[in-house]
Amino acid sequence: MTVEALRPKGSGSIHPGTGASHARIWGLGGFRPERVVPNSELVEAIDSSDEWIQERSGIKSRRWAGPDDTVVSMSEAAARDAIAAAGIEISQIEAIIVSTVTHPYQTPAAAPIIADRLGLRCAAFDISAACAGYCHGISLANDMVRGGSAKFVLVIGVEKLTDFTDLTDRGTAFIFADGAGAAVVGPSDFPGIGPTIWGSDGSQWETIRQTESWLDVRDQGLGHPTIGMAGQSVFRWAVWSMAPVARQAIEAAGITPDDLDAFIPHQANMRIIDAMLKQLKLPADIPVARDIAETANTSAASIPLATERMLREGEIPHGGLALQIGFGAGLVYAAQVIVLP
Ligand code: UT7
């Protein structure tokens, strides 16, 4: 069939959606659970020490959700914070994208429930891209605003990892934690979100995963599954493969490392952050997100939480350029340069 034959007859052509010329992040919000858990509370169950955890990961403490904190409730809090920071009305949100791997229902998604909590009936769906989920969500929101499918999009990265962590597992018990971060993406007069460099390597899917499938849990009468990680393999992949991705995101944005005002990588391990910094040859004095020390690894929430904190504490400038990169289970990754709200 020729392309000509596919063209609609007469006046029956479809009107293309028209969106904004550009998109940017209007505001950021976060929710950090109240309970602070220092390394000393964890070490006995994993035969570890505060010194070992700090030296190998940079983590000093983390936040754990309380019994009343859920993926939905933490998201709602972060969302309200982000919408207030954006200076818009809740009713202006036309789509919600939630990135999470710890919503405890296989279906439905968390996003429609969060929308309902906000009094909205807008498009609402979850994505599963683990620790890279927030950067995936920002990319989708950018395209949605520019494509005309929504004027304002709420992107949420949220995890209650403690519900899926084995506190006797030496490889994960001290790493994973809880929290939610959110961003409002909307129309802009200038490009506020650079091209996303993203991809996957599914051949390594087993390196971070739910320990057993739901079917094995059912058929073999297994207990509650948790998230397991082949730490060393993921560490090597992150250190060697992610710096080139970050470099491509800088180039795709048409800037040089010297133009950056912040480097905000996923908070997986302080040593991974340091190794990436070295490889990227960023300016020596560039502010770098090191939220992992007090927040540990909150997967999809780590980048928005770190960014929100750095902005609030005046460490990075409103209107500055930040390079953000997420990477994790899949294995998947996504990176882009953004203008800080
Ligand atoms: O968020 C998604 C992406 N995630 C990541 O990027 C995480 C990547 N991985 C990591 O951050 C690191 O692999 C960990 C922090 C998880 C582990 O650090 P590591 O330096 O890779 O430790 P290792 O597994 O190579 O273990 C080193 C040693 C071993 O002892 P030997 O064989 O050298 O005697 C382990 O038995 O440390 C021992 N060890 C521990 N010791 C005290 C392993 N876990 C512990 C522990 N406490 N919790």
Side-chain angles (χ1 to χ4, degrees):
M1 191 183 281
T2 64
V3 175
E4 253 343 285
L6 287 174
R7 284 192 203 285
K9 310 282 178 295
S11 59
S13 67
I14 295 169
H15 191 273
T18 47
S21 307
H22 307 290
R24 64 181 167 90
I25 296 174
W26 281 52
L28 286 162
F31 175 83
R32 294 169 188 270
E34 214 173 296
R35 184 168 167 216
V36 177
V37 179
N39 291 339
S40 56
E41 265 193 54
L42 300 172
V43 292
E44 200 181 322
I46 53 173
D47 186 20
S48 188
S49 66
D50 180 36
E51 297 73 37
W52 190 94
I53 295 172
Q54 287 205 42
E55 190 194 310
R56 293 294 175 126
S57 70
I59 299 169
K60 294 179 181 159
S61 62
R62 75 281 292 140
R63 303 285 186 120
W64 279 3
D68 295 333
D69 295 326
T70 64
V71 161
V72 169
S73 73
M74 294 193 292
S75 296
E76 183 189 352
R80 289 188 185 279
D81 202 23
I83 293 166
I88 64 165
E89 299 296 324
I90 292 177
S91 58
Q92 289 177 269
I93 299 291
E94 293 181 0
I96 300 179
I97 302 171
V98 176
S99 175
T100 185
V101 294
T102 49
H103 180 48
Y105 286 82
Q106 180 80 45
T107 193
I113 308 170
I114 296 161
D116 182 57
R117 291 265 192 119
L118 294 170
L120 295 170
R121 290 287 179 267
C122 63
F125 57 93
D126 290 5
I127 57 173
S128 179
C131 307
Y134 173 73
C135 294
H136 278 70
I138 291 296
S139 182
L140 294 177
N142 179 37
D143 292 348
M144 287 162 71
V145 169
R146 295 192 307 144
S149 42
K151 188 167 179 192
F152 286 99
V153 181
L154 180 62
V155 178
I156 299 171
V158 56
E159 302 295 356
K160 190 176 175 186
L161 281 156
T162 49
D163 277 343
F164 294 90
T165 301
D166 174 358
L167 291 180
T168 64
D169 175 19
R170 294 181 108 194
T172 55
F174 64 95
I175 291 184
F176 294 144
D178 306 326
V184 172
V185 175
S188 174
D189 296 340
F190 54 87
I193 298 170
T196 297
I197 305 300
W198 53 0
S200 66
D201 178 4
S203 71
Q204 298 197 63
W205 73 274
E206 288 182 302
T207 54
I208 313 176
R209 64 167 175 135
Q210 183 171 312
T211 44
E212 294 92 17
S213 82
W214 293 120
L215 298 183
D216 288 343
V217 168
R218 182 193 65 190
D219 297 342
Q220 297 172 34
L222 303 172
H224 183 64
T226 54
I227 297 173
M229 179 166 69
Q232 273 193 18
S233 306
V234 181
F235 189 95
R236 274 196 299 272
W237 171 76
V239 164
W240 296 111
S241 307
M242 291 303 101
V245 171
R247 215 173 284 127
Q248 282 177 53
I250 297 172
E251 282 165 18
I255 61 166
T256 68
D258 288 337
D259 297 319
L260 285 171
D261 298 291
F263 176 47
I264 309 176
H266 166 50
Q267 304 291 289
N269 184 318
M270 201 72 91
R271 288 188 295 139
I272 294 177
I273 297 170
D274 286 330
M276 284 176 75
L277 252 182
K278 216 164 154 186
Q279 290 186 51
L280 283 170
K281 299 189 176 65
L282 297 180
D285 56 350
I286 190 171
V288 177
R290 295 187 181 281
D291 196 37
I292 187 168
E294 275 93 36
T295 312
N297 181 343
T298 56
S299 188
S302 87
I303 292 173
L305 274 177
T307 315
E308 189 275 335
R309 182 208 284 255
M310 291 172 92
L311 277 169
R312 181 162 36 83
E313 294 181 350
E315 203 184 326
I316 52 178
H318 298 285
L321 294 179
L323 167 64
Q324 55 186 27
I325 176 165
F327 48 88
L331 296 172
V332 300
Y333 58 86
Q336 66 260 121
V337 174
I338 56 129
V339 175
L340 291 161

